[in-house]
Amino acid sequence: MTKRLHVAVLGLGRLGSAMATRAGMFHDLRTWNRTPMPGSPGRTTTPADAVTDADVVLVCLYDAAACQSVLESCLDSIPRTATVVNTSTISPDEAKQLEQLVSQYGRAYLHAPVIGSVASVESGRLTILTGGQPAEPARKVLETLGDILPAETSGEAAALKLLANGVLGDSLLALRRALHRGESLSLPRATVLDMLERTALSGTVTQKRNLLTKAPLQNSLSAFTVAALGKDLRLLADSLAATSDVSAVLGTLLSDSALVTTDDVARLCAITQDWGHLADARLRISPELTADPAVLGPLHAYARGHATGDPQHFRHAFLPTAHIEGFRDGVFTSWDLQTYCSIFNGPAPDEDSRRRTLDHLTVQGAIATATMTLRHGSATFVDMFVLITDSAGDWRIANKVYERQPG
């Protein structure tokens, strides 16, 4: 009979709880979570209590800051023969720094982020990316969770996980585009999903189909929340030192607080049925658009100005020197920002039926151009913007031209 090891699990989120349950089937278990979770197996009140006498310490936390804080609170209590196995998704540099931290305390560190869902954990089918070959106790514990795919270093293991989540983001963006195209072709969503399950997107569609068929989406969050995916894609962008590689996904999937509300339903809609829909402004982003999130800020503020009728949003969106010029029913108008703001005093009576779409966005260095279509009652406005950024990276609309087209 295989000897039962002492395993401590620090962090009982969705995956952490599943890993604790799975590990507890084969080994003796102690757990800790920042938020008390009554009924959790082997629950302790502090990280130090959980790791006492542990052979393996599984760390399952949200980000590097949480990992560092929790480990610093309990490293003295971890036996010197134990291995700290960190399954958290962090950047390569952060993985190296945590390895150095643990090593300073004379403990072994293994970076081991995972690929898979809760269902993968429950069936022991996770893919575990390890920064080197695990020592025997750690290997025995990880093999109860899934298959081990070793890399050379902690940094490489962390980079591989970010790469995997980049692929996930790409697949979600492709799925969003496919659903939009299906709608444009007047195809039933159920039929589109049946077809997509027979394509390269089959795994993503199957996993999220119950969410993709509900409207409105007001139930539980998806197995991989937008907030977590956004965090990981930002880490990928930072590690690549080039946001363009992930900007399409970030710009259309994230519930960034600077762009939309952080309400859980809005987050879920952003990743599933209503992707690219910035709910508080009734603004949709064209699925063909590659959008830099930083540039979206003033465009979203502009759309919010129309949605709320609050001129403060326009003052946030435009440079103070901006002009708004165009044709309304064939008559040319030219307004400065103050004059433009003066015509707004609360939302339009038919705001619930109005829609806005960001059709085009091109960024070239410190300048950008964008086009937005606004369907306001019986009229359609085509707005074209010139945007500029300052040395701090803050974008504003320099000028706008428009045409009002009768319905």
Side-chain angles (χ1 to χ4, degrees):
M1 177 180 290
T2 302
K3 176 186 175 182
R4 291 178 69 89
L5 300 169
H6 293 274
V7 179
V9 179
L10 306 180
L12 297 175
R14 195 175 276 109
L15 273 178
S17 293
M19 285 193 277
T21 299
R22 178 76 180 177
M25 297 169 59
F26 305 94
H27 303 289
D28 298 329
L29 185 70
R30 287 182 184 170
T31 64
W32 171 86
N33 195 59
R34 192 181 304 275
T35 303
M37 300 180 66
S40 299
R43 184 170 63 94
T44 62
T45 56
T46 69
D49 291 336
V51 302
T52 301
D53 299 327
D55 297 301
V56 176
V57 178
L58 282 178
V59 179
C60 315
L61 299 170
Y62 182 74
D63 58 18
C67 293
Q68 179 173 340
S69 174
V70 171
L71 285 172
E72 286 179 338
S73 73
C74 67
L75 272 169
D76 278 331
S77 301
I78 298 175
R80 290 187 176 275
T81 56
T83 300
V84 175
V85 179
N86 191 356
T87 66
S88 310
T89 302
I90 58 180
S91 76
D93 285 343
E94 289 168 339
K96 296 172 189 175
Q97 291 165 5
L98 287 173
E99 183 175 19
Q100 292 172 358
L101 170 67
V102 175
S103 298
Q104 288 172 3
Y105 282 79
R107 274 66 171 178
Y109 179 88
L110 179 72
H111 197 65
V114 301
I115 301 173
S117 62
V118 169
S120 303
V121 181
E122 292 171 344
S123 60
R125 292 184 293 105
L126 277 178
T127 295
I128 306 161
L129 307 168
T130 62
Q133 290 289 350
E136 187 63 14
R139 182 185 62 80
K140 287 182 178 179
V141 173
L142 293 177
E143 285 179 345
T144 67
L145 304 177
D147 297 324
I148 297 171
L149 179 60
E152 292 293 328
T153 66
S154 293
E156 284 188 13
L160 285 171
K161 176 58 190 292
L162 295 183
L163 182 62
N165 284 358
V167 172
L168 173 60
D170 291 340
S171 69
L172 292 174
L173 184 58
L175 178 54
R176 173 196 166 215
R177 286 174 170 163
L179 292 176
H180 178 84
R181 290 164 179 164
E183 291 174 358
S184 298
L185 293 169
S186 301
L187 294 170
R189 172 160 291 221
T191 304
V192 171
L193 292 173
D194 287 342
M195 180 277 295
L196 291 174
E197 282 189 302
R198 292 162 174 79
T199 70
L201 296 173
S202 59
T204 303
V205 175
T206 299
Q207 182 184 14
K208 300 185 181 299
R209 179 152 186 161
N210 65 320
L211 299 174
L212 294 166
T213 55
K214 295 176 182 178
L217 297 170
Q218 296 178 347
N219 298 317
S220 62
L221 290 175
S222 63
F224 197 114
T225 66
V226 175
L229 178 58
K231 182 264 294 184
D232 297 346
L233 291 176
R234 290 188 189 280
L235 289 175
L236 177 58
D238 291 342
S239 298
L240 293 169
T243 57
S244 60
D245 286 350
V246 295
S247 63
V249 180
L250 287 172
T252 54
L253 299 184
L254 296 186
S255 292
D256 189 297
S257 61
L259 301 180
V260 298
T261 65
T262 55
D263 180 83
D264 283 343
V265 175
R267 290 183 187 177
L268 191 55
C269 288
I271 196 172
T272 53
Q273 192 159 359
D274 221 2
W275 291 358
H277 177 204
L278 305 187
D280 59 344
R282 292 189 172 83
L283 174 65
R284 292 181 63 90
I285 300 174
S286 169
E288 304 301 329
L289 185 69
T290 298
D292 185 333
V295 191
L296 286 176
L299 296 169
H300 174 240
Y302 171 78
R304 286 194 71 193
H306 283 286
T308 64
D310 182 352
Q312 282 299 112
H313 294 299
F314 296 117
R315 295 187 180 100
H316 176 73
F318 287 91
L319 288 174
T321 56
H323 279 76
I324 294 89
E325 298 179 319
F327 287 91
R328 299 173 65 91
D329 302 324
V331 178
F332 178 74
T333 61
S334 179
W335 295 326
D336 59 20
L337 183 59
Q338 183 175 350
T339 303
Y340 183 69
C341 289
S342 69
I343 68 175
F344 292 91
N345 185 26
D350 62 345
E351 172 56 29
D352 287 347
S353 65
R354 294 188 171 196
R355 296 294 181 269
R356 302 161 190 105
T357 302
L358 184 61
D359 305 297
H360 159 86
L361 176 60
T362 298
V363 180
Q364 294 182 321
I367 61 174
T369 58
T371 304
M372 186 182 298
T373 302
L374 299 86
R375 294 173 177 84
H376 288 183
S378 61
T380 297
F381 291 84
V382 177
D383 291 353
M384 298 187 69
F385 307 91
V386 176
L387 301 98
I388 192 166
T389 185
D390 59 22
S391 58
D394 296 325
W395 286 87
R396 304 285 288 278
I397 300 170
N399 286 295
K400 183 193 101 169
V401 295
Y402 73 93
E403 181 182 21
R404 181 183 187 274
Q405 303 172 343

